[in-house]
Amino acid sequence: MDKFSNHIRNILHGFFLTIGTTIAEPSTILPLIVNHFGGSSMLVGLFAALLRGGAIVVQLFAAFKAQSYPLMLPYLRRVFMIRFLAWFFIGVAIVVLGDDHPNLTLLAIGVGLFIFSFSAGFGAIYFKDILAKIFSHKFRGKSMAYRQFFSGLGGLLSGAMAAVVLESFDAPYSYGYLFMISAFVMGLGYLAFATVDEPVKEEIPPRENSFKKFLDSALALLKRDKDLQVLVTTFLFAYGYLIALPFIILEAKENIQLTGLAIGTLITAQMVGAMLSNIVWGKISGNGLNRLTANIALSLHIIAIILAFNASTLYEYIAIFFLVGAATDGNRIASGNLILILAPPQKRPLYVALQINIVSLGMFFSILGGVILQFSNYTVLYSVTLAMLSLALFMSMKLKDEQN
């Protein structure tokens, strides 16, 4: 375990993947793309949810199959290829269909985002199981912090690249070019992780005879494991920030002039927040204090939403996206480590799938945000978001770290 070569490949994967996916960041560029083609706030919420949450549909089935795999990497490589093709397809569709067929363009974007996210449902199970096999608990926290630090650096480069492309080409061609270029950048990250040195799993439990029996076992496990209940509830509500996040950029569009440079600056601010915060998250998580990581991260999300109530300048929006970037990475590290600490090796795919399936429902909170905004206003939107995050912070006080 803890091989330096695997550590480097993990970092490279995160670095290049972030450069690629930040091109369609659900809180900045994606809402503007949907808005350009005439999409409503509800469609903005749906597409943001598709990008983040399409994976949950197949998580448990993926875990059912994966629990008997001695090696996950061959299956993960297939997922990488599907995601690359789906992302590139979105860019081609935007360029070819564009403004002449806006409804078809939106449909193509939706299909591409769904395939990209749906395939990740399998990939997440394989990826987390590989991480658990190649890194010890404490080193994994450090490796993921390094990964997210360099992912933040990748986000900075992505923001700069987005600003250049958006300023150099007219919409919608600029959006299409962003997707096509970023697909190849993302592919470099896939190549890096596809070559990790994965050990063969020695203890393989017998698989249930049917998927129904597997689901029954999963439900029974959730009912009896109180720590798992606290964990999934905390991080489900932690996604409450998504109720408001995709729409902050749309309110900013009403309050300030959103040039390509301004959009790139907001993306950069979010990535800087993520990058710099991982210095702190790595230190805290490396000491086994994952609950504290979650407590601080949720507090930062709350502060960001409070700022959004009265934001009216570019600098205030920069601060909001900076805090969101820091908080999001903190929750990601805490959630990822706590579930792998809690799960016994034989049942790891099941624990991971249960967590992701339940927690990832929160990725659809942006749809709720779209409905709220459609029938009310930003004040109501931010108030509901704040209430959800406050509940998550309360629940996070009950999380258990490894030393407990």
Side-chain angles (χ1 to χ4, degrees):
M1 301 184 80
D2 302 339
K3 288 184 179 180
F4 184 72
S5 59
N6 285 339
H7 175 51
I8 295 299
R9 288 178 172 88
N10 184 38
I11 292 172
L12 290 175
H13 176 237
F15 175 72
F16 287 115
L17 184 62
T18 300
I19 294 178
T21 55
T22 304
I23 292 304
E25 220 292 315
S27 56
T28 50
I29 292 182
L30 184 60
L32 296 175
I33 293 176
V34 177
N35 185 256
H36 174 87
F37 291 110
S40 65
S41 60
M42 293 180 67
L43 193 62
V44 170
L46 176 62
F47 276 27
L50 274 179
L51 181 56
R52 286 190 168 106
I56 69 171
V57 181
V58 294
Q59 291 280 343
L60 282 170
F61 182 74
F64 169 64
K65 292 290 187 180
Q67 61 182 330
S68 62
Y69 296 159
L71 288 171
M72 302 289 180
L73 200 55
Y75 303 95
L76 185 60
R77 288 169 181 155
R78 298 173 193 174
V79 171
F80 287 161
M81 178 58 69
I82 293 171
R83 282 166 64 83
F84 168 82
L85 293 174
W87 200 257
F88 188 77
F89 163 78
I90 294 173
V92 172
I94 291 174
V95 171
V96 173
L97 298 174
D99 289 332
D100 294 332
H101 307 281
N103 292 333
L104 278 178
T105 303
L106 287 172
L107 177 62
I109 293 172
V111 170
L113 290 177
F114 178 76
I115 294 173
F116 182 81
S117 187
F118 183 88
S119 59
F122 290 90
I125 299 297
Y126 309 148
F127 177 73
K128 288 201 171 186
D129 196 75
I130 291 171
L131 287 181
K133 292 196 309 188
I134 64 177
F135 298 134
S136 61
H137 291 320
K138 290 189 176 181
F139 187 83
R140 183 173 55 251
K142 293 179 180 179
S143 183
M144 293 306 291
Y146 273 103
R147 173 193 169 95
Q148 292 182 179
F149 177 87
F150 283 97
S151 293
L153 179 59
L156 291 180
L157 298 177
S158 180
M161 182 174 72
V164 170
V165 174
L166 290 172
E167 290 286 348
S168 301
F169 302 95
D170 293 331
Y173 296 105
S174 56
Y175 299 138
Y177 296 151
L178 282 176
F179 272 96
M180 288 189 284
I181 294 170
S182 62
F184 287 99
V185 177
M186 189 188 305
L188 296 175
Y190 290 155
L191 286 174
F193 200 84
T195 58
V196 297
D197 184 14
E198 179 195 6
V200 177
K201 183 186 293 185
E202 300 295 341
E203 297 181 20
I204 301 177
R207 193 167 71 185
E208 289 82 354
N209 294 329
S210 69
F211 184 50
K212 183 182 182 302
K213 288 185 178 180
F214 176 79
L215 291 178
D216 291 340
S217 298
L219 182 60
L221 171 63
L222 183 61
K223 286 181 177 179
R224 69 173 179 267
D225 195 325
K226 302 300 181 183
D227 292 334
L228 180 60
Q229 293 173 17
V230 170
L231 191 150
V232 297
T233 303
T234 297
F235 291 106
L236 171 62
F237 291 144
Y239 272 119
Y241 77 98
L242 293 180
I243 295 173
L245 187 60
F247 309 101
I248 293 176
I249 191 73
L250 298 183
E251 187 184 32
K253 189 179 179 182
E254 299 174 5
N255 295 333
I256 61 177
Q257 186 178 2
L258 270 187
T259 62
L261 179 60
I263 296 169
T265 300
L266 293 178
I267 295 173
T268 300
Q270 188 170 346
M271 294 305 108
V272 169
M275 183 175 67
L276 296 182
S277 70
N278 278 290
I279 299 173
V280 178
W281 305 142
K283 180 69 174 177
I284 299 175
S285 181
N287 289 327
L289 302 175
N290 293 288
R291 182 179 66 183
L292 180 60
T293 300
N295 298 157
I296 297 173
L298 286 165
S299 299
L300 294 180
H301 266 317
I302 289 172
I303 294 171
I305 298 302
I306 292 174
L307 289 176
F309 272 96
N310 297 303
S312 59
T313 67
L314 178 61
Y315 296 107
E316 288 173 306
Y317 286 110
I318 288 173
I320 290 170
F321 282 99
F322 178 91
L323 291 173
V324 167
T328 301
D329 272 19
N331 273 328
R332 186 179 296 124
I333 283 184
S335 176
N337 280 337
L338 285 169
I339 191 62
L340 293 177
I341 290 170
L342 181 63
Q346 298 88 346
K347 292 291 183 180
R348 191 183 297 132
L350 176 57
Y351 270 77
V352 170
L354 274 171
Q355 184 220 25
I356 295 178
N357 266 265
I358 297 171
V359 170
S360 293
L361 291 174
M363 294 182 181
F364 293 97
F365 284 157
S366 56
I367 298 177
L368 173 61
V371 173
I372 292 173
L373 193 57
Q374 187 78 17
F375 297 103
S376 59
N377 53 47
Y378 284 102
T379 300
V380 175
L381 181 73
Y382 296 148
S383 297
V384 173
T385 304
L386 196 58
M388 186 77 78
L389 289 172
S390 298
L391 184 56
L393 180 60
F394 172 76
M395 291 297 299
S396 73
M397 302 300 177
K398 302 178 182 180
L399 292 169
K400 291 186 177 180
D401 281 321
E402 186 176 9
Q403 69 253 33
N404 299 127

